[in-house]
């Protein structure tokens, strides 16, 4: 496999050029965030302004209590993910491997969650959160996401791809259901869990409307609410530098997390390669 | 691992082959599903039922007035060209279908291509993987703000580049003929990396020795792709197609920052249109009727995908 | 344990209990107000509002104001509407668009502040200190005052004064001069005039043309809308031709958010924009910035037959019907506080809104700011030509109808020759919505 064929060189070239193309928006948002506000890219050099400035970051930081927003976002996404891992593993297994009355109906009901835009259910869900006395708390942010149709579907698809013979063999050895999950299904599904973790974290990190509707206190509101504040300034003129600075501040932790996660990705890639 | 080479293995097997199962065994699947179900019922099913009911209602003038039952009148109004919502609804529904099909048709194959490119040994893997995936990490409003800058007619990046080559500039989000394509372009950039992740996970669970065996048999790349990769990724593809169509139908924030549905609804999409009307309490019946239609389209699409991808795979 | 210890411990507990009762007693008549406000400005608006709430609490120790940032005006209204629809209203006071009044009147979710004004000793002085143009949208057709101006604005024309002087062009005062100046100022790299009507809300600036040609989109009667009129059509044609025929600005109008940057970076010589952008425009422009009232249409029309006309804009303070009488009384104190000359002066100077009270302009910090930058006073001059902004029953629906109609003509989606039929279709839809309210 170490011989470099023409095909693999072509693939390398395609990877690099696609990646470059995809990076353009990020590169320019970085450049814009350090460019003086009064200098749009049409003035002077297209890449850098007349000077490098941190004023966009300073202005963006001033607009919202970002430290609280960071804390809330972190608690929110991990509070959701921790519960989700358990619930989607359980339900994913049931739908992948067990036969029971009403299975398809229940799967259908759960999948409805994916199809119904939550934004149109705000009124009733707001009322539910008020009734549960969780309004304006971090619990209110998390609660609706603890059941994840997305995760159930993903784990169902993943578990179905695992040979049933492995479970049978473990069962003959006297393994309990928990042991089977621990030693067969979960380890063989690590790539799917990593993928799920990534998308769960990034989508909740970026959730805006629901947190915005069920919280009022800045301390329990996530980063997107702060970003929304910055976005509001477009009413008096789009301050792209500030918007980019704010966006980069918001995604910085996710980028770090991704870099850590993606090492795990390579590891799981390596182990599955060995087998 | 050779079982994976035969993906048609019956994948749903009863927990016990004995004819009679204990009540605990019969209860077990429901216990597994219950935690998910509780939250889905509370935060989706019950309010969604209310949505269906309210789609046949008309609110009164005062907030405290009871709703009036109007049957399917709201649905009729949506297709009435002289109605204030109906006159816009069909065009926006059409936009949404074009938008979803094009986004899906481009981003899903592209995601598979990304995944295959990144599932090979290559130097600096981390950089390429990050480059293609990072758009999914961006909050929609942030991503859309970046694209608002790229697309800006006067001070945007794309037009500045066009101008520097002496070319005609394009009013990306302001021209009725280009606006929908501009939103589609941004959306493909934003979502493809997301779908790529699932294809990567799918590719990584395919054992390498299958390919090695095929290569020994003299199968070329194209034969391997159509005979092995695509069939083995069948479940992943089902998942990605379903998810991506749902996401495409539920596009909102992109429009908020890019064009607010303008010009003249040529760049408007269904869910954004629903939100445009949600502030007026008396539109409540229409809001719910439009939601029901949106979900119905998604249901038909999703169910037909399941039928298409899973036929012959069910044991029942 | 020694006996003395037991005694002292008991005493300690008793005293603590008593002490803990004191604040409870003091707060027996304590009121907490949830105050929702949108922000649409550059800067730390939340901190400033919190500062006002703290000041207010010192004045009235039994009232605590809890300021809640609720996004844009649209997001604020949607948040409030979610609470109203759920039948569980949290908000006590909110800053919402002055033009949304009749939606709230209709659903009876807000109370008229008129009842509180009637109980004031100096009601007359209080009301007459507001600029009349800003009061218009807070009043219903029977003259009852429902809401109080808080953060208000108007559209003005910004011009590059250095450039006009260098080219020997006088500041245009009517549309003919405007067009001539714009044509003279347009070059390959620069538009003569940008009117930002490309975004989601063309109705606001369009109104100034309709009014200047003689017929505002709405008047005092909230059941009548005048969209399909010769004046409206003439205004729309002029606005559209700026791009398509005269080519002094981009076809379809400019984008709202990019327009100030186009101006400060020299890509546009003159722009229409909100006075709210003045602060950041002054900050970013390296030339002398001129501010004037929007040029007039044909004389003998418009406000006071002057040919001038500009809609007001921005947010008013509303008090909610769902609050208790005690909360409403406290809310009225808070509304008076926010509309006081002192706060109006501070809020206007900080964020570029036009202080709604005339006496606010006599007070620092606004007074010294206006002395330093005469552009602020030019905005007050422009205010005499301002009039009510579009408002009617079903305002959100009607704005949607009008915005789509305008956008289809301005963007060229529908040819200009068919504009009249676009207006007629829109008017039919509007009339059928308003038929319920006649």
């Amino acid at each position: 496999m170490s011989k470099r064929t023409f095909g693999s060189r072509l693939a390398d070239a395609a990877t690099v050029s696609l990646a470059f193309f995809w990076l353009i928006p990020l590169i320019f948002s970085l450049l814009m965030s350090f460019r003086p506000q009064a200098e749009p890219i049409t003035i002077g050099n297209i890449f850098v302004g007349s000077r490098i400035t941190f004023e966009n970051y300073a202005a963006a930081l001033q607009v919202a209590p970002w430290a609280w927003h960071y804390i809330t976002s972190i608690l929110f996404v991990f509070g959701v993910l921790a519960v989700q891992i358990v619930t989607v593993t359980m339900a994913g297994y049931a739908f992948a491997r067990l036969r029971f009355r009403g299975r398809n109906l229940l799967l259908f009901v759960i999948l409805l969650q994916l199809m119904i835009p939550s934004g149109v259910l705000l009124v009733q869900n707001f009322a539910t959160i008020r009734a549960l006395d969780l309004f304006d708390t971090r619990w209110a942010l998390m609660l609706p996401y603890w059941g994840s149709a997305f995760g159930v579907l993903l784990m169902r698809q993943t578990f179905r791809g695992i040979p049933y013979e492995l479970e049978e063999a473990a069962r003959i050895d006297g393994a309990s259901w928990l042991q089977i999950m621990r030693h067969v299904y979960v380890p063989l599904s690590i790539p799917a869990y990593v993928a799920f973790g990534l998308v769960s974290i990034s989508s909740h990190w970026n959730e805006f409307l629901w947190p915005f509707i069920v919280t009022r206190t800045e301390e329990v509101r996530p980063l997107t609410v702060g970003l929304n504040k910055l976005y509001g300034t477009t009413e008096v003129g789009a301050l792209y530098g500030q918007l980019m600075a704010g966006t980069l501040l918001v995604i910085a932790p996710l980028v770090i997390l991704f870099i850590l996660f993606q090492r795990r990705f390579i590891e799981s890639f390596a182990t599955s390669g060995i087998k | 691992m050779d079982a994976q080479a035969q993906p048609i293995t019956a994948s749903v097997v009863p927990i016990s082959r004995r004819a009679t199962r204990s009540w605990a065994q019969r209860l077990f699947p429901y216990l597994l599903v219950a935690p998910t179900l509780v939250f889905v019922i509370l935060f989706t099913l019950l309010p969604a039922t209310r949505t269906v009911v309210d789609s046949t209602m008309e609110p009164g003038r005062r907030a405290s007035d009871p709703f009036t039952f109007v049957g399917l009148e709201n649905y009729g109004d949506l297709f009435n060209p002289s109605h204030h919502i109906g006159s816009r609804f069909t065009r926006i529904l059409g936009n949404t279908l074009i938008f979803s099909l094009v986004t899906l048709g481009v981003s899903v194959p592209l995601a598979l291509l990304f995944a295959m490119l990144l599932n090979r040994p290559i130097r600096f893997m981390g950089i390429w993987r990050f480059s293609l995936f990072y758009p999914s990490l961006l909050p929609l409003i942030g991503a859309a703000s970046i694209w608002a800058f790229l697309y800006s007619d006067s001070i945007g990046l794309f037009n500045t580049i066009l101008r520097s080559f002496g070319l005609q500039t394009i009013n990306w989000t302001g021209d009725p003929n280009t606006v929908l394509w501009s939103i589609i372009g941004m959306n493909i950039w934003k979502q493809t990396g997301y779908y790529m992740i699932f294809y990567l996970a799918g590719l990584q669970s395919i054992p390498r020795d299958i390919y090695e065996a095929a290569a020994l048999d003299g199968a070329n790349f194209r034969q391997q792709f159509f005979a092995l990769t695509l069939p083995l990724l069948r479940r992943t593809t089902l998942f990605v197609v379903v998810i991506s169509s749902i996401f495409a139908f539920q596009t909102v924030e992109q429009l908020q920052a890019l064009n607010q549905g303008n010009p003249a609804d040529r760049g408007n999409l269904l869910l954004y249109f629903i939100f445009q009307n949600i502030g007026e309490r008396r539109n409540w019946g229409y809001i719910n009727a439009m939601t029901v239609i949106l979900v119905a389209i998604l249901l038909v699409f999703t169910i037909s995908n399941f039928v298409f991808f899973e036929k012959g795979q069910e044991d029942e | 344990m020694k006996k003395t210890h037991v005694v002292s411990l008991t005493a300690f507990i008793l005293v603590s209990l008593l002490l803990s009762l004191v604040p409870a007693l003091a707060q027996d008549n304590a009121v907490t107000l949830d105050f929702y406000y949108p922000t649409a400005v550059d800067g730390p608006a939340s901190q400033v509002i919190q500062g006002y709430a703290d000041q207010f609490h010192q004045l009235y120790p039994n009232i605590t104001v809890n300021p809640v940032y609720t996004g844009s005006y649209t997001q604020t209204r949607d948040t409030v509407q979610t609470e109203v629809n759920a039948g569980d209203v949290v908000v006590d006071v909110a800053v919402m668009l002055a033009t949304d009044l009749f939606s709230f009147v209709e659903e009876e979710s807000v109370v008229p502040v008129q009842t509180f004004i009637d109980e004031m000793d100096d009601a007359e002085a209080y009301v007459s200190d507001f600029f009349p143009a800003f009061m218009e949208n807070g009043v219903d057709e029977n003259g009852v005052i429902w809401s109080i101006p808080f953060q208000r604005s108007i559209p003005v024309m910004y011009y590059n004064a250095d450039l006009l002087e260098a080219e020997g062009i006088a500041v245009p005062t009517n549309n003919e001069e405007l067009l001539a100046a714009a044509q003279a100022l347009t070059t390959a790299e620069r538009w003569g005039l940008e009117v930002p009507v490309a975004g989601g809300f063309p109705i606001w600036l369009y109104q100034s043309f309709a009014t200047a040609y003689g017929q505002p989109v709405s008047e005092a009667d909230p059941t009548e809308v005048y969209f399909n009129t010769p004046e409206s059509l003439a205004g729309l044609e002029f606005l559209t031709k700026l791009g398509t025929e005269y080519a002094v600005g981009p076809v379809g109008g400019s984008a709202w958010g990019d327009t100030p940057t186009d101006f400060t970076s020299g890509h546009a010589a003159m722009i229409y924009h909100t006075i709210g952008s003045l602060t950041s425009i002054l900050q970013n422009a390296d030339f002398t910035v001129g501010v004037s009232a929007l040029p007039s249409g044909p004389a003998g029309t418009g406000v006071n037959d002057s040919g001038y006309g500009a809609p007001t804009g921005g947010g008013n303070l509303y008090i909610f019907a769902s609050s208790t009488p005690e909360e409403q009384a406290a809310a009225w104190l808070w509304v008076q506080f926010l509309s006081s000359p002192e706060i109006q002066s501070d809020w206007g100077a900080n964020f570029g809104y036009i202080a709604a009270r005339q006496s606010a302009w006599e007070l620092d910090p606004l007074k010294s700011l206006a002395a330093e930058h005469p552009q602020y006073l030019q905005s007050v001059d422009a205010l005499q030509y301002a009039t009510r902004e579009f408002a009617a029953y079903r305002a959100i629906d009607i704005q949607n109808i009008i915005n789509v109609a305008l956008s289809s003509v301005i963007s060229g989606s529908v040819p200009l020759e068919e504009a009249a039929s676009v207006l007629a279709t829109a008017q039919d839809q509007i009339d059928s919505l308003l038929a319920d309210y006649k």
Side-chain angles (χ1 to χ4, degrees), chain A residues 11-12 22 26 96-97 100-101 103 114-115 124-125 150 157 160-161 168 195 206 231 258 262 269 272, chain B residues 11-13 17 29-30 43 47 50 119-120 126 129 133-134 137-138 189 198 204 235 243 246 250 257:
Chain A
D12 286 355
W22 243 243
L26 182 67
R97 283 293 188 244
F100 52 98
R101 197 182 292 266
R103 188 186 65 187
L114 270 176
M115 276 164 254
Q124 286 99 307
N125 287 342
F150 181 92
Q157 299 302 93
R160 291 186 73 168
E168 264 184 333
N206 296 327
Y231 180 73
F258 177 79
Q262 91 109 30
F269 169 72
S272 65
Chain B
S11 46
V12 176
V13 182
R17 280 148 207 254
Y30 300 103
F43 290 102
R50 182 71 194 277
N119 197 37
R120 308 168 315 118
R129 208 166 256 182
F133 180 71
Y134 85 91
L137 299 176
L138 289 165
W189 168 85
F198 301 104
Q204 286 175 11
R235 290 191 191 90
I243 293 290
I246 288 168
Q250 301 190 358

Side-chain angles (χ1 to χ4, degrees), chain C residues 293-311:
Chain C
L294 301 181
S296 77
T301 60
V303 177
N304 313 324
D305 285 338
S306 60
Y308 285 99

